[in-house]
Amino acid sequence: MMTKLYGSLEAGGTKFICAVGDEQFNVVEKVQFPTTTPDETLTQTVVFFQRYADRLQGIGIGSFGPIDIDKNSPTYGYITTTPKPNWANVDLVGTIKKAVNVPFYFTTDVNSSAFGETFVRKNVTSLVYYTIGTGIGAGAIQHGEFVGGIGHTEAGHVLVALHPQDQAKGFHGTCPFHKNCLEGLSAGPSLQARSGIRGELIAQDADIWDIQAYYIAQAALQATLLYRPQVIVFGGGVMAQHHMLQRVRQQFAELLNGYVPVPDLNEYIVIPAVAENGSATLGNFALAKQVAQ
Amino acid sequence: MMTKLYGSLEAGGTKFICAVGDEQFNVVEKVQFPTTTPDETLTQTVVFFQRYADRLQGIGIGSFGPIDIDKNSPTYGYITTTPKPNWANVDLVGTIKKAVNVPFYFTTDVNSSAFGETFVRKNVTSLVYYTIGTGIGAGAIQHGEFVGGIGHTEAGHVLVALHPQDQAKGFHGTCPFHKNCLEGLSAGPSLQARSGIRGELIAQDADIWDIQAYYIAQAALQATLLYRPQVIVFGGGVMAQHHMLQRVRQQFAELLNGYVPVPDLNEYIVIPAVAENGSATLGNFALAKQVAQ
């Protein structure tokens, strides 16, 4: 008898990562390719999954957004209003399902990652996963389910208090939608916009990291007060730098000021437990299993 | 046969409201008394509920906080670290349960209100209830359950972007715990701290209301992006003024800037549907019924 397989698609704005895993969610094969046109990218996606079609029990998709996750909507499964050229109103799920007719679970990339991170943590049923990259988003899990009523969360676009140095310099962030929003002030592009230097080239002891950490600590504060999760996970390259994690923990402690109890910060504000950026893939496998018949 | 009754206690920082309701959650009797010492106030509470002890199926309690809602904690049922004199570490549930041994549901006052507001709205399973009063708090419901992992939400103490006028005047709010936090900048006391005039005496067309609305609109933006609820309800005297509701809707629309779809703002940002501040009482009755044996 052939092993059952689960599929994972991480549909990112810069690359697509397709994978299949076995019943223990070990990766059997994983490929990635750049996100070009929807036609080309979805064709590559379909070709990958078709090779496993007879053994696939389901596919979990974590996508960049905004996306339509309302199963009663005529545009369910679509990427909706993204500013990314050619990708607005693309029927992501429908296009793949036409070629590979298995059950799908469709959610945001950050929700997939949150699910993967919850999966590997014993006794964790409430968790928030932030990605701090070229954009900022967060997926939240409560009682083992995704938080979200009429749609998915978009935690990168909340307003935050300006750091005094940004205030003094009149820097209000890089987001074209919102002045003073979290993403505009602390996603990757803000580093260069503020300093004129590419993030990778900025010294680890530069003051600018504390500005960045101030905003990320505000995100952790919001997540703490609005979700009260057991753990807050920060994914993305910026937070993989140990000094950043320490800066965020320290500023978070100052901002929270003991108002509500939280776990030991070394256990509470953390980087992903799943190695090699595998949180979303693992989450997608587990979500695929949920919908598998 | 005697009617079954459900109990409600709204344990507020300034007054306690006790009520019993019938199986249709009609109020049979409701009393209120000022919050004085725990001894005196809880004795009055017990005396009220004891009169109905033989018919009470359960009591829902919505309390000021912070409170301990972790059933595995040795201080479950306590008001914990409140700055209110004499009320820190008070065993609220335990004290009442010793005298009236029925099942209890223990949560925050804003969660009770959120539950009551959800109860009267058809097809609403995700809702946020903010109270804007001497303090600010919010209760959030997702999939019909309260949001909260290791504790209850405390949405009043998030940081917000300063209004340019507050920035110019160096006003950072009235919260003793946090500079620039929502509660410190837009709860009742901030009005007087900013203007020198008591809130009730400020003219409806004064600019200061737009400053207040700016912060409350940020709260609505946060709730929108972190919860994606079907409706956001604002309780409390300030928001009962129609001009404030309009100001908040308008500023919210500007801040969101169409980033994610939301319902018609007249249906989305609203005041309570339950009349006469009855949301929490109704919510408590419904919660009491949930735990009733």
Side-chain angles (χ1 to χ4, degrees):
Chain A
M1 202 179 100
M2 285 191 298
T3 328
K4 290 178 180 176
L5 296 177
Y6 300 103
S8 164
L9 167 59
E10 283 175 70
T14 56
K15 62 175 186 273
F16 269 42
I17 304 174
C18 300
V20 289
D22 64 19
E23 288 185 89
Q24 287 73 48
F25 302 154
N26 298 307
V27 173
V28 170
E29 188 183 354
K30 193 169 194 168
V31 299
Q32 66 176 60
F33 35 86
T35 310
T36 58
T37 64
D39 263 3
E40 184 177 42
T41 312
L42 292 180
T43 299
Q44 286 177 279
T45 303
V46 160
V47 165
F48 175 82
F49 286 117
Q50 275 180 327
R51 289 170 35 219
Y52 295 98
D54 54 341
R55 294 158 69 193
L56 269 176
Q57 308 300 304
I59 297 176
I61 300 181
S63 176
F64 71 103
I67 61 176
D68 186 344
I69 57 169
D70 174 2
K71 286 188 179 163
N72 299 316
S73 159
T75 54
Y76 169 76
Y78 280 56
I79 295 171
T80 57
T81 57
T82 178
K84 189 175 167 64
N86 304 315
W87 282 88
N89 299 312
V90 165
D91 183 6
L92 187 62
V93 174
T95 305
I96 304 171
K97 197 174 173 65
K98 261 182 221 151
V100 187
N101 189 17
V102 294
F104 282 80
Y105 195 107
F106 185 51
T107 191
T108 59
D109 43 9
V110 280
N111 273 354
S112 294
S113 295
F115 206 75
E117 286 294 314
T118 306
F119 187 82
V120 294
R121 291 164 198 269
K122 233 181 158 174
N123 300 322
V124 169
T125 58
S126 63
L127 176 149
V128 181
Y129 180 98
Y130 275 90
T131 182
I132 312 284
T134 50
I136 292 181
I141 289 178
Q142 289 277 338
H143 313 304
E145 294 190 327
F146 295 124
V147 172
I150 58 174
H152 57 81
T153 57
E154 278 289 354
H157 293 268
V158 292
L159 266 58
V160 287
L162 267 189
H163 189 280
Q165 287 191 38
D166 281 344
Q167 183 69 46
K169 294 187 179 166
F171 182 71
H172 294 278
T174 59
C175 175
F177 288 91
H178 312 104
K179 263 175 83 168
N180 299 0
C181 90
L182 177 65
E183 177 170 302
L185 287 162
S186 52
S190 70
L191 278 168
Q192 186 164 359
R194 189 182 281 117
S195 66
I197 305 172
R198 287 164 51 96
E200 309 89 272
L201 305 176
I202 298 173
Q204 282 200 10
D205 60 356
D207 287 348
I208 192 173
W209 294 116
D210 273 333
I211 300 179
Q212 195 94 346
Y214 176 65
Y215 297 118
I216 297 171
Q218 286 187 55
L221 181 69
Q222 276 185 18
T224 296
L225 297 174
L226 270 69
Y227 296 136
R228 301 299 306 278
Q230 290 164 281
V231 58
I232 303 175
V233 181
F234 284 99
V238 166
M239 292 299 290
Q241 308 173 78
H242 187 68
H243 75 96
M244 270 304 286
L245 206 58
Q246 290 295 65
R247 287 175 203 265
V248 170
R249 286 175 182 149
Q250 187 185 331
Q251 295 208 43
F252 169 81
E254 287 167 20
L255 293 179
L256 181 64
N257 197 13
Y259 193 71
V260 294
V262 291
D264 179 328
L265 294 191
N266 296 319
E267 308 288 320
Y268 183 59
I269 294 180
V270 298
I271 59 172
V274 182
E276 293 172 10
N277 298 317
S279 317
T281 300
L282 177 61
N284 284 332
F285 288 158
L287 290 166
K289 187 169 183 175
Q290 271 195 4
V291 293
Q293 280 138 357
Chain B
M1 200 180 101
M2 287 190 298
T3 328
K4 289 178 182 176
L5 296 177
Y6 298 103
S8 163
L9 168 60
E10 284 174 71
T14 56
K15 62 174 187 271
F16 269 43
I17 303 174
C18 300
V20 290
D22 64 19
E23 288 186 87
Q24 287 72 48
F25 301 154
N26 298 308
V27 173
V28 170
E29 187 183 355
K30 193 170 194 168
V31 299
Q32 66 176 59
F33 36 86
T35 310
T36 57
T37 64
D39 262 3
E40 184 177 41
T41 312
L42 293 180
T43 299
Q44 284 178 280
T45 303
V46 160
V47 165
F48 175 81
F49 286 117
Q50 275 182 326
R51 290 168 38 217
Y52 296 98
D54 55 340
R55 294 158 70 192
L56 270 175
Q57 307 300 302
I59 298 176
I61 301 181
S63 177
F64 71 103
I67 61 176
D68 186 344
I69 57 169
D70 174 2
K71 286 189 179 161
N72 298 317
S73 160
T75 54
Y76 169 75
Y78 280 55
I79 295 171
T80 56
T81 57
T82 178
K84 188 174 169 61
N86 305 315
W87 282 88
N89 299 311
V90 164
D91 183 6
L92 188 61
V93 174
T95 305
I96 304 171
K97 196 174 173 65
K98 261 183 220 151
V100 188
N101 189 16
V102 295
F104 282 79
Y105 195 106
F106 186 51
T107 191
T108 59
D109 43 10
V110 280
N111 272 354
S112 293
S113 295
F115 205 75
E117 285 295 313
T118 306
F119 188 83
V120 294
R121 292 165 196 271
K122 234 180 155 172
N123 300 324
V124 169
T125 58
S126 63
L127 175 148
V128 181
Y129 180 98
Y130 276 90
T131 182
I132 313 283
T134 50
I136 291 182
I141 288 177
Q142 290 276 339
H143 313 304
E145 294 191 328
F146 295 124
V147 172
I150 57 172
H152 57 82
T153 57
E154 278 289 354
H157 293 269
V158 293
L159 266 58
V160 288
L162 268 190
H163 189 280
Q165 286 191 40
D166 281 344
Q167 183 70 47
K169 293 187 180 166
F171 182 71
H172 294 279
T174 60
C175 175
F177 289 91
H178 313 103
K179 264 175 82 168
N180 299 0
C181 89
L182 176 65
E183 177 171 302
L185 287 162
S186 54
S190 71
L191 279 167
Q192 186 165 356
R194 190 182 282 117
S195 66
I197 304 171
R198 287 164 51 96
E200 308 90 271
L201 305 176
I202 299 172
Q204 283 202 7
D205 59 355
D207 287 349
I208 192 172
W209 295 116
D210 273 334
I211 300 179
Q212 196 93 345
Y214 177 65
Y215 297 117
I216 298 171
Q218 286 187 54
L221 181 69
Q222 277 186 17
T224 296
L225 297 174
L226 270 68
Y227 296 135
R228 301 299 305 277
Q230 291 165 281
V231 57
I232 303 176
V233 181
F234 283 100
V238 165
M239 293 299 291
Q241 307 172 78
H242 187 67
H243 76 97
M244 270 303 288
L245 206 58
Q246 290 295 64
R247 285 176 204 264
V248 169
R249 285 174 182 149
Q250 188 187 327
Q251 295 208 42
F252 170 81
E254 287 166 22
L255 292 180
L256 182 64
N257 197 13
Y259 193 72
V260 293
V262 290
D264 180 327
L265 293 191
N266 295 317
E267 309 287 321
Y268 183 58
I269 294 179
V270 298
I271 57 171
V274 182
E276 293 172 10
N277 298 317
S279 315
T281 301
L282 177 62
N284 283 333
F285 288 158
L287 290 167
K289 186 169 182 175
Q290 272 196 2
V291 292
Q293 280 139 357

PDB file of all heavy atoms in Angstrom, chain A residues 151-175:
ATOM      1  N   GLY A 151     -12.985  37.762   8.290  1.00  0.00           N
ATOM      2  CA  GLY A 151     -11.826  37.622   7.414  1.00  0.00           C
ATOM      3  C   GLY A 151     -10.624  37.270   8.266  1.00  0.00           C
ATOM      4  O   GLY A 151     -10.759  36.991   9.453  1.00  0.00           O
ATOM      5  N   HIS A 152      -9.450  37.306   7.623  1.00  0.00           N
ATOM      6  CA  HIS A 152      -8.246  36.979   8.380  1.00  0.00           C
ATOM      7  C   HIS A 152      -7.650  38.240   8.984  1.00  0.00           C
ATOM      8  O   HIS A 152      -7.941  39.358   8.551  1.00  0.00           O
ATOM      9  CB  HIS A 152      -7.232  36.268   7.478  1.00  0.00           C
ATOM     10  CG  HIS A 152      -6.844  37.054   6.258  1.00  0.00           C
ATOM     11  ND1 HIS A 152      -5.901  38.056   6.303  1.00  0.00           N
ATOM     12  CD2 HIS A 152      -7.292  37.002   4.983  1.00  0.00           C
ATOM     13  CE1 HIS A 152      -5.778  38.573   5.079  1.00  0.00           C
ATOM     14  NE2 HIS A 152      -6.612  37.963   4.264  1.00  0.00           N
ATOM     15  N   THR A 153      -6.787  38.037   9.978  1.00  0.00           N
ATOM     16  CA  THR A 153      -6.159  39.172  10.639  1.00  0.00           C
ATOM     17  C   THR A 153      -5.162  39.872   9.693  1.00  0.00           C
ATOM     18  O   THR A 153      -4.669  39.272   8.741  1.00  0.00           O
ATOM     19  CB  THR A 153      -5.429  38.705  11.914  1.00  0.00           C
ATOM     20  OG1 THR A 153      -4.473  37.711  11.559  1.00  0.00           O
ATOM     21  CG2 THR A 153      -6.420  38.103  12.906  1.00  0.00           C
ATOM     22  N   GLU A 154      -4.899  41.117   9.989  1.00  0.00           N
ATOM     23  CA  GLU A 154      -3.931  41.932   9.227  1.00  0.00           C
ATOM     24  C   GLU A 154      -3.177  42.808  10.212  1.00  0.00           C
ATOM     25  O   GLU A 154      -3.218  44.039  10.136  1.00  0.00           O
ATOM     26  CB  GLU A 154      -4.654  42.805   8.198  1.00  0.00           C
ATOM     27  CG  GLU A 154      -5.009  42.118   6.898  1.00  0.00           C
ATOM     28  CD  GLU A 154      -3.800  41.803   6.006  1.00  0.00           C
ATOM     29  OE1 GLU A 154      -2.670  42.206   6.331  1.00  0.00           O
ATOM     30  OE2 GLU A 154      -4.026  41.133   4.973  1.00  0.00           O
ATOM     31  N   ALA A 155      -2.480  42.145  11.128  1.00  0.00           N
ATOM     32  CA  ALA A 155      -1.944  42.847  12.292  1.00  0.00           C
ATOM     33  C   ALA A 155      -0.822  43.823  11.970  1.00  0.00           C
ATOM     34  O   ALA A 155      -0.387  44.574  12.847  1.00  0.00           O
ATOM     35  CB  ALA A 155      -1.465  41.839  13.332  1.00  0.00           C
ATOM     36  N   GLY A 156      -0.355  43.859  10.734  1.00  0.00           N
ATOM     37  CA  GLY A 156       0.733  44.777  10.401  1.00  0.00           C
ATOM     38  C   GLY A 156       0.286  46.212  10.223  1.00  0.00           C
ATOM     39  O   GLY A 156       1.117  47.120  10.202  1.00  0.00           O
ATOM     40  N   HIS A 157      -1.016  46.429  10.102  1.00  0.00           N
ATOM     41  CA  HIS A 157      -1.464  47.768   9.725  1.00  0.00           C
ATOM     42  C   HIS A 157      -2.149  48.541  10.842  1.00  0.00           C
ATOM     43  O   HIS A 157      -2.878  49.497  10.590  1.00  0.00           O
ATOM     44  CB  HIS A 157      -2.294  47.698   8.446  1.00  0.00           C
ATOM     45  CG  HIS A 157      -1.444  47.289   7.279  1.00  0.00           C
ATOM     46  ND1 HIS A 157      -0.812  48.197   6.465  1.00  0.00           N
ATOM     47  CD2 HIS A 157      -1.038  46.066   6.864  1.00  0.00           C
ATOM     48  CE1 HIS A 157      -0.083  47.537   5.567  1.00  0.00           C
ATOM     49  NE2 HIS A 157      -0.203  46.240   5.783  1.00  0.00           N
ATOM     50  N   VAL A 158      -1.900  48.132  12.072  1.00  0.00           N
ATOM     51  CA  VAL A 158      -2.350  48.914  13.224  1.00  0.00           C
ATOM     52  C   VAL A 158      -1.446  50.135  13.365  1.00  0.00           C
ATOM     53  O   VAL A 158      -0.300  50.130  12.917  1.00  0.00           O
ATOM     54  CB  VAL A 158      -2.285  48.081  14.517  1.00  0.00           C
ATOM     55  CG1 VAL A 158      -3.308  46.958  14.479  1.00  0.00           C
ATOM     56  CG2 VAL A 158      -0.880  47.514  14.740  1.00  0.00           C
ATOM     57  N   LEU A 159      -1.979  51.181  13.992  1.00  0.00           N
ATOM     58  CA  LEU A 159      -1.147  52.347  14.276  1.00  0.00           C
ATOM     59  C   LEU A 159      -0.363  52.121  15.560  1.00  0.00           C
ATOM     60  O   LEU A 159      -0.845  51.450  16.482  1.00  0.00           O
ATOM     61  CB  LEU A 159      -2.013  53.605  14.413  1.00  0.00           C
ATOM     62  CG  LEU A 159      -2.164  54.426  13.124  1.00  0.00           C
ATOM     63  CD1 LEU A 159      -2.747  53.573  12.019  1.00  0.00           C
ATOM     64  CD2 LEU A 159      -3.000  55.656  13.362  1.00  0.00           C
ATOM     65  N   VAL A 160       0.825  52.660  15.607  1.00  0.00           N
ATOM     66  CA  VAL A 160       1.663  52.535  16.801  1.00  0.00           C
ATOM     67  C   VAL A 160       2.166  53.909  17.222  1.00  0.00           C
ATOM     68  O   VAL A 160       2.128  54.865  16.441  1.00  0.00           O
ATOM     69  CB  VAL A 160       2.866  51.590  16.537  1.00  0.00           C
ATOM     70  CG1 VAL A 160       2.419  50.140  16.460  1.00  0.00           C
ATOM     71  CG2 VAL A 160       3.619  51.981  15.280  1.00  0.00           C
ATOM     72  N   ALA A 161       2.597  53.979  18.464  1.00  0.00           N
ATOM     73  CA  ALA A 161       3.172  55.224  18.976  1.00  0.00           C
ATOM     74  C   ALA A 161       4.536  55.438  18.321  1.00  0.00           C
ATOM     75  O   ALA A 161       5.359  54.533  18.280  1.00  0.00           O
ATOM     76  CB  ALA A 161       3.322  55.147  20.498  1.00  0.00           C
ATOM     77  N   LEU A 162       4.776  56.633  17.824  1.00  0.00           N
ATOM     78  CA  LEU A 162       6.058  56.944  17.172  1.00  0.00           C
ATOM     79  C   LEU A 162       7.191  56.975  18.186  1.00  0.00           C
ATOM     80  O   LEU A 162       7.033  57.495  19.288  1.00  0.00           O
ATOM     81  CB  LEU A 162       5.999  58.325  16.498  1.00  0.00           C
ATOM     82  CG  LEU A 162       5.596  58.420  15.036  1.00  0.00           C
ATOM     83  CD1 LEU A 162       5.840  59.848  14.542  1.00  0.00           C
ATOM     84  CD2 LEU A 162       6.346  57.432  14.152  1.00  0.00           C
ATOM     85  N   HIS A 163       8.311  56.438  17.788  1.00  0.00           N
ATOM     86  CA  HIS A 163       9.521  56.552  18.599  1.00  0.00           C
ATOM     87  C   HIS A 163       9.960  58.022  18.588  1.00  0.00           C
ATOM     88  O   HIS A 163       9.871  58.686  17.552  1.00  0.00           O
ATOM     89  CB  HIS A 163      10.617  55.672  17.992  1.00  0.00           C
ATOM     90  CG  HIS A 163      11.830  55.549  18.848  1.00  0.00           C
ATOM     91  ND1 HIS A 163      12.800  56.515  18.906  1.00  0.00           N
ATOM     92  CD2 HIS A 163      12.222  54.567  19.714  1.00  0.00           C
ATOM     93  CE1 HIS A 163      13.751  56.134  19.752  1.00  0.00           C
ATOM     94  NE2 HIS A 163      13.418  54.951  20.259  1.00  0.00           N
ATOM     95  N   PRO A 164      10.433  58.531  19.731  1.00  0.00           N
ATOM     96  CA  PRO A 164      10.824  59.947  19.783  1.00  0.00           C
ATOM     97  C   PRO A 164      11.797  60.350  18.666  1.00  0.00           C
ATOM     98  O   PRO A 164      11.692  61.462  18.138  1.00  0.00           O
ATOM     99  CB  PRO A 164      11.495  60.072  21.161  1.00  0.00           C
ATOM    100  CG  PRO A 164      10.849  59.003  21.990  1.00  0.00           C
ATOM    101  CD  PRO A 164      10.532  57.873  21.045  1.00  0.00           C
ATOM    102  N   GLN A 165      12.699  59.463  18.275  1.00  0.00           N
ATOM    103  CA  GLN A 165      13.640  59.835  17.203  1.00  0.00           C
ATOM    104  C   GLN A 165      12.947  59.948  15.848  1.00  0.00           C
ATOM    105  O   GLN A 165      13.297  60.804  15.036  1.00  0.00           O
ATOM    106  CB  GLN A 165      14.783  58.819  17.114  1.00  0.00           C
ATOM    107  CG  GLN A 165      15.771  58.946  18.271  1.00  0.00           C
ATOM    108  CD  GLN A 165      17.033  58.125  18.023  1.00  0.00           C
ATOM    109  OE1 GLN A 165      17.522  58.056  16.892  1.00  0.00           O
ATOM    110  NE2 GLN A 165      17.549  57.504  19.075  1.00  0.00           N
ATOM    111  N   ASP A 166      11.987  59.062  15.598  1.00  0.00           N
ATOM    112  CA  ASP A 166      11.221  59.190  14.349  1.00  0.00           C
ATOM    113  C   ASP A 166      10.382  60.467  14.387  1.00  0.00           C
ATOM    114  O   ASP A 166      10.240  61.170  13.380  1.00  0.00           O
ATOM    115  CB  ASP A 166      10.319  57.966  14.146  1.00  0.00           C
ATOM    116  CG  ASP A 166      11.086  56.758  13.616  1.00  0.00           C
ATOM    117  OD1 ASP A 166      12.218  56.938  13.126  1.00  0.00           O
ATOM    118  OD2 ASP A 166      10.554  55.632  13.687  1.00  0.00           O
ATOM    119  N   GLN A 167       9.810  60.721  15.563  1.00  0.00           N
ATOM    120  CA  GLN A 167       9.008  61.932  15.749  1.00  0.00           C
ATOM    121  C   GLN A 167       9.857  63.162  15.441  1.00  0.00           C
ATOM    122  O   GLN A 167       9.446  64.042  14.678  1.00  0.00           O
ATOM    123  CB  GLN A 167       8.516  61.965  17.200  1.00  0.00           C
ATOM    124  CG  GLN A 167       7.614  63.139  17.531  1.00  0.00           C
ATOM    125  CD  GLN A 167       6.271  63.028  16.835  1.00  0.00           C
ATOM    126  OE1 GLN A 167       5.651  61.969  16.846  1.00  0.00           O
ATOM    127  NE2 GLN A 167       5.831  64.092  16.195  1.00  0.00           N
ATOM    128  N   ALA A 168      11.031  63.194  16.013  1.00  0.00           N
ATOM    129  CA  ALA A 168      11.905  64.361  15.848  1.00  0.00           C
ATOM    130  C   ALA A 168      12.282  64.577  14.386  1.00  0.00           C
ATOM    131  O   ALA A 168      12.401  65.710  13.915  1.00  0.00           O
ATOM    132  CB  ALA A 168      13.164  64.181  16.703  1.00  0.00           C
ATOM    133  N   LYS A 169      12.429  63.458  13.667  1.00  0.00           N
ATOM    134  CA  LYS A 169      12.855  63.575  12.275  1.00  0.00           C
ATOM    135  C   LYS A 169      11.696  63.613  11.295  1.00  0.00           C
ATOM    136  O   LYS A 169      11.899  63.656  10.074  1.00  0.00           O
ATOM    137  CB  LYS A 169      13.786  62.406  11.925  1.00  0.00           C
ATOM    138  CG  LYS A 169      15.101  62.474  12.693  1.00  0.00           C
ATOM    139  CD  LYS A 169      16.089  61.424  12.242  1.00  0.00           C
ATOM    140  CE  LYS A 169      17.388  61.548  13.033  1.00  0.00           C
ATOM    141  NZ  LYS A 169      18.258  60.394  12.883  1.00  0.00           N
ATOM    142  N   GLY A 170      10.483  63.548  11.831  1.00  0.00           N
ATOM    143  CA  GLY A 170       9.308  63.576  10.950  1.00  0.00           C
ATOM    144  C   GLY A 170       9.189  62.325  10.089  1.00  0.00           C
ATOM    145  O   GLY A 170       8.633  62.376   8.991  1.00  0.00           O
ATOM    146  N   PHE A 171       9.690  61.202  10.584  1.00  0.00           N
ATOM    147  CA  PHE A 171       9.580  59.950   9.828  1.00  0.00           C
ATOM    148  C   PHE A 171       8.311  59.215  10.241  1.00  0.00           C
ATOM    149  O   PHE A 171       8.135  58.859  11.399  1.00  0.00           O
ATOM    150  CB  PHE A 171      10.808  59.071  10.091  1.00  0.00           C
ATOM    151  CG  PHE A 171      10.803  57.773   9.304  1.00  0.00           C
ATOM    152  CD1 PHE A 171      10.999  57.771   7.928  1.00  0.00           C
ATOM    153  CD2 PHE A 171      10.585  56.553   9.943  1.00  0.00           C
ATOM    154  CE1 PHE A 171      10.981  56.579   7.201  1.00  0.00           C
ATOM    155  CE2 PHE A 171      10.573  55.353   9.231  1.00  0.00           C
ATOM    156  CZ  PHE A 171      10.768  55.372   7.854  1.00  0.00           C
ATOM    157  N   HIS A 172       7.411  59.002   9.265  1.00  0.00           N
ATOM    158  CA  HIS A 172       6.136  58.371   9.586  1.00  0.00           C
ATOM    159  C   HIS A 172       5.975  57.020   8.902  1.00  0.00           C
ATOM    160  O   HIS A 172       4.867  56.506   8.768  1.00  0.00           O
ATOM    161  CB  HIS A 172       4.977  59.292   9.213  1.00  0.00           C
ATOM    162  CG  HIS A 172       4.933  60.542  10.035  1.00  0.00           C
ATOM    163  ND1 HIS A 172       4.386  60.590  11.289  1.00  0.00           N
ATOM    164  CD2 HIS A 172       5.428  61.785   9.800  1.00  0.00           C
ATOM    165  CE1 HIS A 172       4.515  61.814  11.800  1.00  0.00           C
ATOM    166  NE2 HIS A 172       5.148  62.562  10.909  1.00  0.00           N
ATOM    167  N   GLY A 173       7.056  56.442   8.440  1.00  0.00           N
ATOM    168  CA  GLY A 173       6.994  55.095   7.901  1.00  0.00           C
ATOM    169  C   GLY A 173       6.853  55.054   6.396  1.00  0.00           C
ATOM    170  O   GLY A 173       6.756  56.087   5.726  1.00  0.00           O
ATOM    171  N   THR A 174       6.839  53.838   5.869  1.00  0.00           N
ATOM    172  CA  THR A 174       6.887  53.644   4.416  1.00  0.00           C
ATOM    173  C   THR A 174       5.598  53.073   3.843  1.00  0.00           C
ATOM    174  O   THR A 174       5.519  52.798   2.647  1.00  0.00           O
ATOM    175  CB  THR A 174       8.015  52.647   4.066  1.00  0.00           C
ATOM    176  OG1 THR A 174       7.752  51.413   4.739  1.00  0.00           O
ATOM    177  CG2 THR A 174       9.385  53.166   4.502  1.00  0.00           C
ATOM    178  N   CYS A 175       4.576  52.864   4.704  1.00  0.00           N
ATOM    179  CA  CYS A 175       3.355  52.244   4.194  1.00  0.00           C
ATOM    180  C   CYS A 175       2.559  53.223   3.340  1.00  0.00           C
ATOM    181  O   CYS A 175       2.292  54.341   3.778  1.00  0.00           O
ATOM    182  CB  CYS A 175       2.490  51.762   5.362  1.00  0.00           C
ATOM    183  SG  CYS A 175       0.884  51.116   4.840  1.00  0.00           S
TER     184      CYS A 175
END
